[in-house]
Amino acid sequence: MVAAHTQQNSCAGIETADVQFEARTFPAQRIGDAVLFQSGMYIDADGAPNAYGPHNRGLDFTANAVRGGRFLSVATHADGRPVIQRSGRFKGFYVSTTSLHNAAGSPTAPGTYVDARKIPYIVLPPEFIKQFGVALGDLAMVTNRRNGKSSFAIFADIGPHGKIGEGSVALARALGLNDDPRYGGTGNAGIA
């Protein structure tokens, strides 16, 4: 369910627009076409060719690619089994996916997806997308308020309902954060 509380500040052109997640309200602001919010940042490895693999091998825990017993961040065969890379440097790893991808690419080729190791990107939940009309490929400016480092990023992946504050390995590195998807990131605040 998405609900918005809107309050216009006519002097500054700032509009407060809270996003209603199932379990909580998340504060955000709109200034023209820009949407501003602050959160912590989890590290997302999706799209990296070595993001996930059998036996929990990969940059991130394989459990983070599974919801409800199904693989969601990994290319799958019709029967739900994950696609395994059969050649190349990351032979034996699963093909990890992102929502933003090369439409001309093969769904089973790692190069079709946005590589979290190389591209600074953010992940947004469906409630946020619907409320603010953001689209895959939109540009973001992300700032680590603790150290002052900033980076441009693209909106490249749609996350689960009610969870906000994920960024790619490359984004974490650019912001001066621990970029390890298993143990890195930052707590509940500091990233805007």
Side-chain angles (χ1 to χ4, degrees):
M1 177 179 123
V2 176
H5 168 73
T6 304
Q7 180 180 29
Q8 183 75 30
N9 179 337
S10 59
C11 294
I14 299 172
E15 177 183 326
T16 301
D18 294 339
V19 180
Q20 184 61 52
F21 293 131
E22 187 175 305
R24 66 186 170 112
T25 299
F26 183 81
Q29 294 180 325
R30 180 184 293 228
I31 301 174
D33 289 336
V35 179
L36 308 170
F37 64 96
Q38 181 174 316
S39 71
M41 191 170 117
Y42 299 97
I43 311 306
D44 189 28
D46 292 355
N50 59 335
Y52 307 105
H55 311 292
N56 214 24
R57 193 178 76 171
L59 294 174
D60 201 354
F61 296 111
T62 302
N64 287 336
V66 178
R67 283 187 210 103
R70 292 183 20 216
F71 280 95
L72 295 183
S73 299
V74 170
T76 58
H77 297 283
D79 63 4
R81 288 180 302 111
V83 173
I84 296 176
Q85 297 174 59
R86 298 291 176 202
S87 62
R89 180 174 171 204
F90 298 108
K91 179 180 178 178
F93 285 90
Y94 300 144
V95 174
S96 178
T97 64
T98 54
S99 302
L100 183 65
H101 60 277
N102 180 347
S106 167
T108 60
T112 298
Y113 306 98
V114 181
D115 187 339
R117 301 167 311 146
K118 297 179 179 180
I119 307 295
Y121 73 72
I122 61 171
V123 180
L124 294 172
E127 299 94 333
F128 198 91
I129 298 163
K130 182 177 178 183
Q131 182 167 337
F132 294 110
V134 295
L136 288 167
D138 281 355
L139 184 65
M141 171 55 77
V142 185
T143 300
N144 181 339
R145 296 177 59 134
R146 292 182 179 151
N147 65 17
K149 291 186 177 188
S150 294
S151 176
F152 286 106
I154 59 171
F155 167 37
D157 211 5
I158 299 172
H161 288 278
K163 183 179 177 185
I164 196 160
E166 284 186 76
S168 68
V169 172
L171 179 59
R173 192 175 311 115
L175 296 175
L177 297 173
N178 178 343
D179 64 0
D180 183 338
R182 292 181 185 231
Y183 305 106
T186 183
N188 293 329
I191 305 297

